[in-house]
């Protein structure tokens, strides 16, 4: 069965390494924070100027001056730090953030990502996405394998306006975990529980590389 | 010390002319100059270019200045929370320049720091790069982005002294410190205005040299866009 959003977030949480600084995008990526194992110590970065995002506040702790990049009220962890937007993006562009997890509308087999604009629809803006994808060494995309209309979002070439070129390293969808290879192509690593390789093949428009037996994800 | 205090928001913004270029601090509705925005609604100045990460919501922040048609152009990174904005954009009443958030922050910082342009990787290979110079450094491509400056920067800080030294709180800092640097006239509203010596110089985020006018604001609403809580 295909994973729900929580399942995708749980699987991505397994990718998180101890001692790293991580930027989580809006949507499924934000949920990843809830499933990072307790024996792992990470610092979450919010591009509006916070290192060390804590859980949502209790009702009497709500502070309008403390929000995340999704404009949600948050708390700070012990040992957190606050800074300006320019310093925030200095740490992003400077390569100091170890891992960026974000959503996407499309990913191409050479790692291009499109996630900010649909021609003909109101454009809301790219926010910090272009800075993040142009800078991070390790980018994991969390998304549904296919759009609501059933079209594959893993393509040979993005059809929507690009957010960044050759930057995505890994994709975790409701159906599969895939590496994006430097030479091009999605290498299938794992299947969602009960999902067959044939189903993943049918849902992937870009070049899919299948080597040997593909294990099921352990969620 | 130089005293930069003005009586109130009306006094602070009264000489902002039509067609001025403004910077307004804030991320979403967090750390926005609420008092200055209210005062601008009263002066009725129009044709404004507003440089601000976001455009407020329909009935708060810069959204209020959109309702009164005072804004000609927005320069922002994300403008998604505002139906009136969308209507004016689609009808051609409003121009908008969308800029990657880090590029926006750095262009403002550069404006205040005397750096006319810089190379950034953000937007390379996208429509943001159209018409811009590109260059390779260590095997990676970058594009040239220019500084941004403003006639007036409207900044919100937590505490400030009468000579303009500022301390911000929480994530309400965001774009405010760079905008303070990049305004020809920087107007600051603070929640608490104190005498020189009352703020520890070790804790100053923005030195007063960047500030021309300061006043203690009142009636802060500090509206929250996404009130998210957990149970005890």
């Amino acid at each position: 069965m295909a994973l729900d959003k929580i399942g995708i977030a749980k699987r991505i949480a397994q990718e998180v390494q101890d001692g790293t600084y991580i930027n989580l995008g809006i949507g499924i990526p934000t949920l990843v924070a809830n499933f990072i194992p307790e024996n792992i110590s990470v610092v979450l970065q919010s591009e509006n100027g916070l290192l060390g995002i804590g859980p949502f506040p209790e009702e009497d702790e709500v502070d309008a001056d403390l929000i995340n990049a999704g404009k949600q009220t948050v708390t700070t962890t012990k040992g957190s730090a606050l800074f300006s937007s320019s310093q925030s993006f200095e740490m992003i562009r400077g390569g100091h953030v170890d891992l960026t997890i974000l959503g996407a509308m499309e990913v191409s087999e050479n790692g291009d990502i499109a996630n900010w604009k649909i021609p003909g629809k109101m454009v809301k803006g790219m926010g910090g996405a272009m800075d993040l994808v142009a800078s991070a060494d390790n980018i994991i995309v969390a998304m549904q394998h296919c759009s609501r209309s059933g079209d594959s979002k893993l393509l040979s070439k993005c059809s929507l306006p690009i957010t960044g070129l050759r930057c995505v390293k890994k994709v975790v969808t409701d159906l599969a975990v895939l590496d994006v290879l430097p030479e091009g192509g999605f290498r299938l690593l794992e299947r969602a529980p009960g999902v067959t390789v044939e189903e993943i093949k049918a849902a992937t428009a870009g070049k899919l590389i299948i080597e040997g037996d593909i294990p099921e994800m352990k969620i | 010390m130089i005293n930069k205090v003005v009586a109130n928001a009306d006094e602070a913004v009264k000489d902002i002319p039509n067609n001025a270029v403004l910077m307004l601090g804030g991320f979403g509705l967090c750390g926005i100059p609420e008092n200055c925005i209210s005062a601008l609604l009263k002066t009725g100045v129009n044709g404004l270019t507003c440089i601000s990460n976001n455009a407020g919501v329909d009935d708060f922040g810069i959204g209020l200045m959109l309702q009164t048609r005072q804004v000609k152009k927005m320069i922002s990174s994300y403008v998604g929370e505002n139906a009136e904005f969308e209507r004016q954009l689609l009808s051609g009443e409003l121009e908008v320049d969308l800029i990657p958030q880090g590029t926006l922050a750095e262009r403002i910082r550069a404006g205040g720091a005397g750096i006319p342009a810089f190379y950034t990787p953000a937007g390379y290979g996208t429509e943001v790069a159209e018409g811009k110079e590109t260059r390779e450094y260590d095997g990676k491509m970058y594009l040239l982005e220019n500084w941004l400056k403003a006639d007036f920067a409207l900044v919100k800080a937590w505490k400030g002294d009468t000579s303009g030294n500022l301390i911000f709180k929480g994530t309400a800092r965001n774009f405010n410190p760079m905008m303070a640097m990049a305004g020809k006239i920087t107007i600051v509203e603070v929640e608490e205005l104190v005498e020189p010596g009352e703020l520890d110089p070790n804790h100053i985020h923005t030195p007063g040299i960047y500030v021309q006018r300061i006043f203690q604001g009142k009636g802060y609403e500090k509206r929250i866009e996404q009130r998210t809580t957990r149970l005890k």
Side-chain angles (χ1 to χ4, degrees):
Chain A
M1 207 180 88
L3 299 177
D4 59 8
K5 288 178 180 181
I6 300 285
I8 296 173
K10 282 183 174 170
R11 178 58 192 81
I12 291 178
Q14 297 171 12
E15 300 292 317
V16 170
Q17 307 268 324
D18 191 29
T20 54
Y21 291 88
I22 305 172
N23 182 290
L24 301 176
I26 293 163
I28 298 173
T30 304
L31 298 173
V32 172
N34 301 332
F35 305 108
I36 295 172
E38 281 184 12
N39 59 344
I40 281 182
S41 178
V42 298
V43 177
L44 302 179
Q45 201 254 15
S46 192
E47 62 264 28
N48 56 321
L50 168 59
L51 272 172
I53 309 172
F56 293 140
E58 291 173 4
E59 191 57 42
D60 56 4
E61 294 176 320
V62 169
D63 180 355
D65 291 328
L66 202 56
I67 62 170
N68 64 18
K71 286 129 189 170
Q72 297 170 311
T73 46
V74 293
T75 56
T76 54
T77 57
K78 278 183 188 160
S80 65
L82 294 153
F83 38 86
S84 69
S85 297
S86 60
Q87 186 160 28
S88 180
F89 283 94
E90 284 159 14
M91 58 184 79
I92 289 167
R93 280 190 306 265
H96 307 281
V97 175
D98 302 298
L99 172 63
T100 289
I101 302 170
L102 77 177
M105 299 170 187
E106 295 176 350
V107 175
S108 79
E109 65 193 28
N110 65 357
D112 297 351
I113 178 171
N115 72 350
W116 77 284
K117 182 175 181 178
I118 300 175
K121 288 202 176 169
M122 166 69 185
V123 181
K124 296 183 170 189
M126 66 292 282
M130 284 191 184
D131 309 273
L132 282 158
V133 300
S135 307
D137 279 339
N138 192 6
I139 297 176
I140 300 178
V141 163
M143 67 176 188
Q144 305 299 320
H145 212 99
C146 295
S147 68
R148 284 200 187 91
S149 50
D151 298 321
S152 179
K153 295 166 72 171
L154 287 82
L155 307 171
S156 49
K157 195 170 183 299
C158 292
S159 65
L160 294 169
I162 292 290
T163 308
L165 297 174
R166 306 183 74 86
C167 54
V168 177
K169 298 291 191 293
K170 185 169 275 187
V171 183
V172 179
T173 75
D174 52 335
L175 303 183
V177 179
L178 310 102
D179 267 347
V180 182
L181 299 180
E183 64 272 25
F186 299 104
R187 182 167 62 197
L188 183 58
L189 299 177
E190 296 173 21
R191 310 172 275 121
V195 171
T196 66
V197 169
E198 290 308 312
E199 286 172 284
I200 294 164
K201 268 189 195 170
T204 307
K207 181 180 173 189
L208 185 65
I209 297 157
I210 302 164
E211 291 164 349
D213 283 339
I214 307 299
E216 276 191 1
M217 299 179 204
K218 293 187 176 64
I219 303 283
Chain B
M1 296 301 287
I2 307 168
N3 189 333
K4 297 171 180 176
V5 178
V6 293
N8 52 40
D10 295 334
E11 192 65 26
V13 307
K14 68 179 181 188
D15 60 343
I16 295 182
N18 290 342
N19 305 308
V21 176
L22 308 185
M23 287 178 180
L24 296 98
F27 183 96
L29 301 177
C30 182
I32 61 172
E34 292 184 24
N35 279 235
C36 283
I37 290 171
S38 298
L40 286 172
L41 295 173
K42 284 194 266 175
T43 71
V45 62
N46 59 43
L48 299 171
T49 295
C50 292
I51 302 168
S52 184
N53 188 54
N54 311 95
V57 295
D58 276 315
D59 59 348
F60 201 61
I62 293 174
L64 296 169
M65 294 162 64
L66 293 168
Q67 301 274 5
T68 50
R69 313 282 163 84
Q70 289 174 271
V71 182
K72 178 181 70 180
K73 182 175 183 181
M74 284 298 313
I75 299 177
S76 304
S77 85
Y78 189 83
V79 294
E81 325 293 346
N82 195 315
E84 177 62 16
F85 183 99
E86 182 169 351
R87 193 198 64 71
Q88 290 186 21
L89 182 63
L90 295 175
S91 70
E93 292 164 69
L94 183 69
E95 288 173 62
V96 62
D97 245 0
L98 292 170
I99 296 177
Q101 194 175 135
T103 300
L104 180 63
E106 191 62 15
R107 287 178 67 185
I108 296 165
R109 198 193 72 81
I115 306 284
F118 57 91
Y119 283 97
T120 176
Y124 177 76
T126 76
E127 62 188 65
V128 166
E130 285 169 16
K132 289 175 184 160
E133 272 182 64
T134 57
R135 189 165 163 177
E136 186 180 327
Y137 289 91
D138 292 342
K140 183 168 171 172
M141 293 304 294
Y142 296 80
L143 55 104
L144 190 67
E145 294 279 6
N146 294 333
W147 60 8
L148 276 173
K149 299 186 202 192
D151 300 319
F152 294 84
L154 309 181
V155 165
K156 160 73 188 355
W158 179 37
K159 291 181 182 177
D161 68 22
T162 56
S163 50
N165 295 305
L166 307 177
I167 296 176
F168 301 94
K169 176 169 164 273
T171 55
R173 191 179 325 181
N174 56 62
F175 283 80
N176 282 296
M178 297 87 77
M179 289 183 173
M181 296 164 62
K184 283 193 198 92
I185 307 261
T186 290
I187 300 169
V188 181
E189 53 178 275
V190 294
E191 290 174 55
E192 191 181 343
L193 183 64
V194 302
E195 292 300 317
E198 290 187 45
L199 302 178
D200 182 341
N202 287 299
H203 295 165
I204 300 297
H205 294 133
T206 290
I209 191 168
Y210 300 115
V211 175
Q212 279 68 47
R213 302 172 192 172
I214 189 166
F215 65 94
Q216 183 168 304
K218 57 186 181 189
Y220 282 104
E221 179 180 337
K222 295 196 184 182
R223 193 181 294 185
I224 293 170
E225 274 181 79
Q226 306 283 340
R227 189 185 186 90
T228 44
T229 56
R230 70 190 148 105
L231 297 172
K232 283 195 191 228

